[in-house]
């Protein structure tokens, strides 16, 4: 029998969830009562319904994560949660948490991750709440969590409850006279079986074997290692030597666990020598993916979304559910829109962040969605899903018999090409960055640029058709989200977008997105040369250097 204690606490004023949960430096979470306060704020916001229900707890194994997983169990018990389903050692990928919330009929889940941000004592940690649909809580809920946190005076904890979560097992204990269950589960097994329901594994296994397909996958030392080994190696017959950086480490081995060309450089290098036919990398918590073809041929996430949209019917899951619409975040290049038009399907443009896709999926409006930030997923769960994306690519290759590069070049000749790049200026001074955004907003408000021609130094000219600060009305619950990024849309369909990151843990990150459309595939040159004039226009227009003092971005995607 364990007993609850009610502890007095002082509230913190900074527990405002960003694009995807609360992310801060580990040291901030280690302050007295800091994590406890935020967890209690989640429980208070969910309210009484939590008492007779199940919650799922999982995380990416980063530094400080297992400790908070154990803390969560003590606090869940004290807050009268009926059952906690937790991954062995507190570990579970973000897409798996989403799956297990639905599978266990849970009221929600708590994901302990800072996703693609670096880990370790000097780096980042995060806590995110997902609702009963398995997806990240919408802003209305995260706003309430924040408000609750600012007024918090007490939290509940069961100090004397110490459950061993290192072994798959079920524990039932008495807490203040009520029964409390902790089910420690294998974080991979059921998720892997769900993938087998969605995709045609015998076909994929046969295709890999018959064509001797060479696959190289990096988990960047994040949570995905065990998923890669079970799904790709055990169930699809890919050799273990194809799974690199697949040992989950608390500091990701010093890697920045973000699957892009900069941070997954070792995968890119290994792909360059032409041995491997397809390469993939995942982020720390396994929801992001990067796909590469032979010789490190880069598939931009916006193109990945469009190619998958065009071939979705080859995946058994969609034969059953039918293909509904598509959706992309606003800064994502509009390549998928052209596929939607060709197929007579709807496409939705939502603000940045996976939480905006949830309502559309719940309402049966969309089957597939994605973000330029290496996020791809479908309505099989309510998170983006790195492994799903790789299996979808393998399915398209198996079905068409084409290479990654062929799939892309065929796509461009059919639909034209959206050249896309994102420039990140990380850790800028927050005041300077927000002054730049205010300046851009003043241009929106004055309307002075509409109809104007903007000239690149190399001579190209672009006429502004529209300039706004993106706002979104959710078609399902009608909630309105404003100030989601400055868009400048030109008459030829090209776009430049500026927004500030909502996931960083220090300073401000300015993101500049460029989407430049070319309908004639024959005219398509190298990406860099196609994008240069618009980048030049964007930098001049925003006076970015003047405001931030930055000459060059820290990351180019
Ligand atoms: C970033 C990405 C966004 C993604 C989020 C969580 O958010 O841009 O697309 O949903 O991470 O993975 P940002 O830092 O831009 O707010
Ligand atoms: Zn992630």
């Amino acid at each position: 029998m364990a007993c609850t204690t009610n502890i007095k606490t002082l509230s913190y004023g900074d527990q405002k969830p960003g694009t995807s949960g609360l992310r801060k430096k580990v040291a901030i979470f280690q302050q007295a009562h800091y994590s406890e306060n935020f967890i209690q704020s989640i429980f208070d916001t969910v309210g009484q319904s939590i008492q007779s229900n199940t919650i799922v707890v999982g995380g990416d194994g980063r530094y400080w994560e297992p400790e908070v997983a154990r803390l969560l169990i003590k606090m869940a018990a004290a807050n009268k949660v009926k059952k906690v389903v937790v991954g062995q050692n507190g570990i579970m990928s973000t897409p798996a948490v989403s799956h297990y919330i639905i599978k266990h009929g849970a009221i929600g889940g708590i994901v302990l991750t800072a996703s693609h941000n670096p880990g370790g004592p000097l780096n980042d940690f995060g806590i995110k709440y997902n609702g009963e649909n398995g997806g990240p809580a919408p802003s209305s809920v995260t706003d309430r969590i924040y408000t609750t946190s600012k007024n918090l005076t007490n939290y509940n904890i069961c100090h004397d409850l110490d459950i061993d979560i290192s072994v798959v097992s079920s524990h039932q204990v008495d807490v203040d006279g009520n029964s409390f269950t902790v089910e420690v589960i294998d974080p991979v097994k059921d998720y892997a079986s769900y993938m087998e329901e969605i995709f045609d594994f015998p076909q994929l296994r046969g295709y890999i074997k018959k064509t001797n397909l060479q696959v190289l996958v990096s988990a960047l030392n994040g949570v995905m290692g065990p998923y890669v080994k079970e799904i790709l190696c055990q169930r699809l017959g890919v050799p273990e030597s194809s799974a690199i950086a697949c040992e989950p480490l608390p500091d990701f081995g010093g890697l920045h666990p973000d699957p892009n060309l900069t941070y997954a450089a070792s995968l890119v290098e290994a792909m360059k020598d032409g041995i491997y036919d397809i390469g993939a990398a995942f982020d720390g918590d396994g929801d992001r993916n990067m796909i590469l073809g032979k010789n490190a041929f880069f598939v931009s996430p916006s193109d990945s979304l469009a190619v998958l949209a065009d071939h979705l019917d080859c995946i058994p899951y969609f034969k059953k559910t039918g293909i509904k619409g598509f959706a992309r975040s606003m800064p994502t290049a509009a390549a998928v829109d052209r596929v939607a038009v060709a197929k007579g399907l709807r496409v939705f443009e939502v603000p940045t962040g996976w939480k905006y896709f949830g309502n559309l999926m719940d309402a049966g409006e969309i089957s597939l969605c994605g973000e330029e930030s290496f996020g791809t997923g479908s309505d099989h769960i309510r998170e983006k899903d790195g492994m799903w994306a790789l299996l979808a690519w393998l399915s398209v290759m198996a079905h068409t018999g084409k290479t990654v590069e062929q799939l892309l070049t065929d796509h461009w000749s059919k639909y034209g090409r959206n050249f896309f790049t994102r420039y990140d200026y990380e850790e800028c001074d927050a005041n300077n960055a927000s002054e730049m955004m205010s300046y851009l907003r003043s241009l929106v408000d004055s309307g002075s640029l509409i109809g104007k021609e903007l000239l690149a130094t190399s001579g190209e000219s672009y006429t502004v058709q529209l300039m706004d600060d993106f706002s979104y009305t959710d078609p399902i619950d009608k909630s309105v989200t404003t100030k989601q990024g400055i868009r400048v849309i030109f008459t030829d369909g090209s776009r430049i977008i500026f927004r500030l990151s909502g996931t960083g843990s220090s300073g401000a990150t300015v993101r500049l997105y460029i989407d430049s459309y070319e309908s004639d595939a024959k005219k398509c040159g190298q990406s860099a040369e196609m994008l240069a004039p618009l980048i030049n226009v964007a930098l001049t227009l925003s006076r970015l250097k003047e405001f931030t003092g930055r000459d060059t971005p820290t990351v180019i995607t």
Side-chain angles (χ1 to χ4, degrees):
M1 158 114 174
C3 297
T4 295
T5 329
N6 185 266
I7 308 276
K8 282 215 173 327
T9 183
L10 289 175
S11 63
Y12 287 89
D14 65 345
Q15 300 194 322
K16 186 173 169 43
T19 311
S20 187
L22 183 70
R23 284 189 204 169
K24 304 268 179 202
K25 294 281 178 217
V26 166
I28 295 195
F29 277 99
Q30 288 174 329
Q31 296 173 95
H33 309 310
Y34 193 91
S35 303
E36 290 86 340
N37 276 15
F38 190 67
I39 293 165
Q40 187 65 47
S41 304
I42 295 174
F43 288 150
D44 287 354
T45 303
V46 180
Q48 284 220 327
S49 50
I50 203 144
Q51 297 187 352
S52 46
N53 268 300
T54 300
I55 61 165
V56 175
V57 172
D60 59 10
R62 69 177 57 225
Y63 182 83
W64 197 239
E65 192 269 312
E67 285 84 351
V68 180
R70 282 188 210 100
L71 170 71
L72 247 160
I73 293 173
K74 291 171 193 255
M75 289 187 66
N79 281 281
K80 300 191 171 55
V81 171
K82 195 168 158 222
K83 181 173 170 186
V84 171
V85 174
V86 60
Q88 190 178 10
N89 292 313
I91 290 173
M92 203 182 266
S93 74
T94 293
V97 172
S98 187
H99 170 59
Y100 289 118
I101 290 173
I102 301 162
K103 187 177 160 63
H104 289 268
I107 191 160
I110 297 181
V111 203
L112 304 174
T113 175
S115 185
H116 52 285
N117 295 12
L122 299 178
N123 288 311
D124 291 5
F125 184 67
I127 304 181
K128 183 170 83 155
Y129 178 65
N130 282 24
E132 74 187 312
N133 71 349
S139 308
S140 55
V141 175
T142 54
D143 287 349
R144 279 197 286 132
I145 295 173
Y146 177 44
T147 309
T148 307
S149 76
K150 286 191 288 189
N151 300 309
L152 199 79
T153 54
N154 299 69
Y155 66 83
N156 302 318
I157 187 158
C158 236
H159 279 305
D160 46 352
L161 184 74
D162 200 11
I163 306 238
D164 177 11
I165 58 170
S166 68
V167 182
V168 173
S169 52
S170 186
H171 307 257
Q172 201 173 351
V173 285
D174 188 304
V175 176
D176 302 325
N178 300 315
S179 152
F180 173 65
T181 305
V182 176
E183 201 177 324
V184 185
I185 64 166
D186 177 331
V188 180
K189 218 170 105 222
D190 288 348
Y191 170 83
S193 301
Y194 188 41
M195 291 297 117
E196 289 205 48
E197 282 173 38
I198 294 170
F199 298 98
D200 185 343
F201 269 46
Q203 183 211 24
L204 291 181
R205 202 181 165 96
Y207 164 70
I208 290 168
K209 190 163 180 214
K210 202 171 107 216
T211 60
N212 193 22
L213 193 82
Q214 300 298 310
V215 182
L216 190 66
V217 179
S218 170
L220 296 175
N221 293 322
V223 74
M224 286 303 279
Y227 293 83
V228 170
K229 287 181 185 164
E230 174 64 26
I231 297 170
L232 294 177
C233 303
Q234 293 302 319
R235 302 196 188 197
L236 289 175
V238 170
E240 292 257 341
S241 55
S242 289
I244 54 171
C246 277
E247 289 313 318
L249 298 172
D251 66 348
F252 309 112
L255 295 178
H256 192 135
D258 199 359
N260 58 38
L261 294 172
T262 307
Y263 296 128
S266 58
L267 177 83
V268 178
E269 275 311 305
M271 291 295 296
K272 276 187 183 158
D273 54 20
I275 295 172
Y276 296 98
D277 301 299
I278 180 166
F282 306 117
D283 72 336
D285 63 327
D287 55 356
R288 293 185 173 199
N289 76 92
M290 175 172 74
I291 300 290
L292 300 174
K294 210 182 185 90
N295 302 314
F297 179 89
F298 175 64
V299 182
S300 88
S302 306
D303 278 343
S304 174
L305 179 65
V307 170
L308 293 182
D310 207 22
H311 293 94
L312 217 53
D313 50 1
C314 75
I315 298 171
Y317 174 87
F318 298 104
K319 291 199 180 112
K320 278 187 240 143
T321 62
I323 298 167
K324 300 153 190 168
F326 307 130
R328 61 171 170 82
S329 65
M330 179 273 282
T332 303
V336 68
D337 299 25
R338 297 172 205 284
V339 180
V341 170
K343 293 192 179 291
L345 294 171
R346 283 188 78 183
V347 63
F348 298 84
E349 186 179 32
V350 309
T352 298
W354 209 259
K355 60 190 172 199
Y356 295 103
F357 295 126
N359 276 349
L360 295 170
M361 292 195 255
D362 289 349
E365 292 285 354
I366 58 168
S367 296
L368 176 78
C369 49
E371 294 193 275
E372 50 64 44
S373 53
F374 298 87
T376 325
S378 91
D379 63 348
H380 68 292
I381 54 168
R382 296 292 178 272
E383 288 278 9
K384 55 194 177 232
D385 190 339
M387 179 57 77
W388 180 93
L390 173 58
L391 295 172
W393 266 92
L394 288 170
S395 303
V396 174
M397 291 169 78
H399 180 76
T400 58
K402 293 182 186 173
T403 65
V404 172
E405 184 166 351
Q406 274 169 343
L407 282 162
L408 263 301
T409 43
D410 288 357
H411 189 89
W412 295 329
S413 40
K414 186 166 164 196
Y415 292 105
R417 180 169 175 186
N418 284 75
F419 289 90
F420 181 84
T421 191
R422 183 175 105 181
Y423 278 22
D424 295 332
Y425 300 82
E426 296 167 307
E427 302 206 23
C428 291
D429 176 87
N431 287 331
N432 294 347
S434 81
E435 269 171 29
M436 188 190 87
M437 293 304 286
S438 302
Y439 167 68
L440 287 166
R441 278 196 188 102
S442 74
L443 294 179
V444 170
D445 293 343
S446 72
S448 57
L449 290 181
I450 312 291
K452 285 257 162 63
E453 264 185 56
L454 303 185
L455 276 182
T457 41
S458 46
E460 292 80 354
S461 112
Y462 301 87
T463 307
V464 180
Q465 186 172 45
L466 181 131
M467 182 172 183
D468 69 359
D469 193 349
F470 183 63
S471 79
Y472 176 68
T473 304
D474 185 297
I476 314 302
D477 67 15
K478 309 292 176 216
S479 59
V480 178
T481 312
T482 57
K483 297 193 170 177
Q484 291 300 304
I486 305 293
R487 301 192 292 181
V488 189
I489 303 182
F490 299 98
T491 48
D492 70 348
S494 299
R495 304 182 304 155
I496 56 185
I497 292 142
F498 297 89
R499 60 178 283 283
L500 297 185
S501 157
T503 57
S505 62
S506 56
T509 294
V510 176
R511 302 207 196 281
L512 161 61
Y513 309 79
I514 309 273
D515 175 6
S516 172
Y517 179 65
E518 174 56 65
S519 60
D520 184 352
K522 286 186 211 79
K523 276 203 223 145
C524 293
Q526 288 299 309
S527 197
E529 98 204 18
M530 299 298 290
L531 288 163
L534 261 188
I535 293 168
N536 176 256
V537 165
L539 295 176
T540 311
L541 169 72
S542 62
R543 301 201 205 144
L544 186 136
K545 187 176 171 193
E546 202 179 307
F547 280 107
T548 65
R550 295 297 179 86
D551 243 339
T552 44
T554 41
V555 178
I556 298 181
T557 308

